[in-house]
Amino acid sequence: MTLRPHLFAAIAALGLATPAARAETPSGFTPAQRQEIVSILRDALKTDPTILGDAIIALRRDAEKNARSSALTALRDNRRALETGPAYTLRGDPSGDVTVVEFLDPRCGYCRAMVPVVDKLLAADSHVRLVEKVIPVLGEKSVLDAQAILAAARQGGYDKMKRALMLDKQEPSLDRVRAVASANGLDADKLVADIKDPGIARELNDNLALARAIGLDGTPTFIFGNSSVIPGAISLQNMQANVKAVRESKG
């Protein structure tokens, strides 16, 4: 018999475990019993410091598992809203067998790095359906660029303006938005006026509400079907592996 399992039980008893673990641990220790547990822990940690590290790792894994479970529940609850959007936000095969949702901020460097990767995914797999959700999470400059991108959609220039702004290295401003719009064949005056369209604010707010609902904590974030939420920049091979996993899950 080893001492380690009993020490994990002691750690749980002292309230250092998850709610599920605590529910399985007897409560109502007397002060003397609690003192004895603390003494055992102290002595054991002196001889084997890895015990506490192992306990922390176990707790972290449990927390991550719970977070993933909550995220997947949120995906199922919000599936319809996640997988739909204005026509200009849809790419790839409109009736594709796998839907990928991308949350992006036009000012985010990692989002910018993912532009060619996403392009390659759609070029290599003609049955993927991609839904873009623009969310301005990096401050006022992101808000301006996001508004300009959605305003460009009023002229059929959503993708053109999105790509131009995500490649642009100059500081965002209304003057800069005008210049980029004009350079890409858009009516700059109309675009600037359309930025104030209440419909644009609603779309951005809806996207942000969805992001909060699924616990999104950064951009880019990719959602593959109902099976996975992947934050950050990922490789083409990783994207393709997740698409494959969604297909296989459907049988």
Side-chain angles (χ1 to χ4, degrees):
M1 182 175 71
T2 64
L3 182 61
R4 188 177 293 259
H6 298 282
L7 286 172
F8 278 116
I11 289 171
L14 289 175
L16 298 179
T18 61
R22 289 198 296 270
E24 297 172 0
T25 304
S27 59
F29 289 105
T30 67
Q33 289 171 326
R34 290 181 65 83
Q35 183 59 46
E36 183 179 357
I37 292 171
V38 170
S39 296
I40 293 172
L41 280 171
R42 284 175 177 167
D43 290 341
L45 289 172
K46 288 177 183 178
T47 58
D48 187 359
T50 65
I51 291 172
L52 185 57
D54 290 344
I56 291 172
I57 290 172
L59 294 175
R60 184 177 297 142
R61 286 174 179 166
D62 194 38
E64 291 173 351
K65 180 180 178 181
N66 289 337
R68 286 194 297 271
S69 177
S70 296
L72 293 178
T73 298
L75 288 188
R76 290 190 290 270
D77 292 344
N78 294 279
R79 180 178 180 181
R80 182 179 180 84
L82 285 166
E83 295 190 349
T84 58
Y88 51 79
T89 65
L90 308 181
R91 301 178 59 194
D93 181 0
S95 56
D97 63 338
V98 175
T99 294
V100 179
V101 181
E102 178 186 8
F103 283 89
L104 64 94
D105 183 312
R107 301 297 304 172
C108 165
Y110 293 109
C111 297
R112 294 180 172 197
M114 286 303 300
V115 171
V117 179
V118 172
D119 287 346
K120 289 177 183 177
L121 172 70
L122 296 178
D125 192 327
S126 60
H127 298 297
V128 170
R129 176 178 179 269
L130 181 80
V131 183
E132 292 180 343
K133 303 286 185 183
V134 176
I135 53 171
V137 295
L138 298 178
E140 293 181 3
K141 295 175 182 178
S142 291
V143 172
L144 177 59
D145 275 6
Q147 289 173 325
I149 290 168
L150 298 190
R154 284 13 182 207
Q155 303 180 45
Y158 167 88
D159 190 65
K160 187 184 296 185
M161 193 68 175
K162 180 198 73 178
R163 290 176 182 274
L165 288 177
M166 292 183 77
L167 288 173
D168 193 42
K169 296 182 179 180
Q170 295 193 36
E171 284 293 300
S173 66
L174 275 179
D175 286 341
R176 184 58 190 163
V177 164
R178 284 180 179 275
V180 173
S182 295
N184 285 275
L186 300 174
D187 183 332
D189 290 336
K190 173 175 171 50
L191 186 144
V192 170
D194 285 341
I195 281 177
K196 300 175 183 178
D197 185 336
I200 288 176
R202 280 195 300 272
E203 183 174 344
L204 292 177
N205 284 332
D206 287 347
N207 289 349
L208 288 166
L210 273 176
R212 287 191 294 270
I214 65 169
L216 181 144
D217 59 6
T219 55
T221 290
F222 294 93
I223 299 170
F224 296 85
N226 287 327
S227 59
S228 60
V229 180
I230 301 182
I234 59 177
S235 68
L236 174 62
Q237 292 73 24
N238 196 338
M239 296 195 79
Q240 291 172 326
N242 278 278
V243 169
K244 181 180 178 183
V246 174
R247 287 197 175 110
E248 291 176 346
S249 71
K250 295 180 178 181

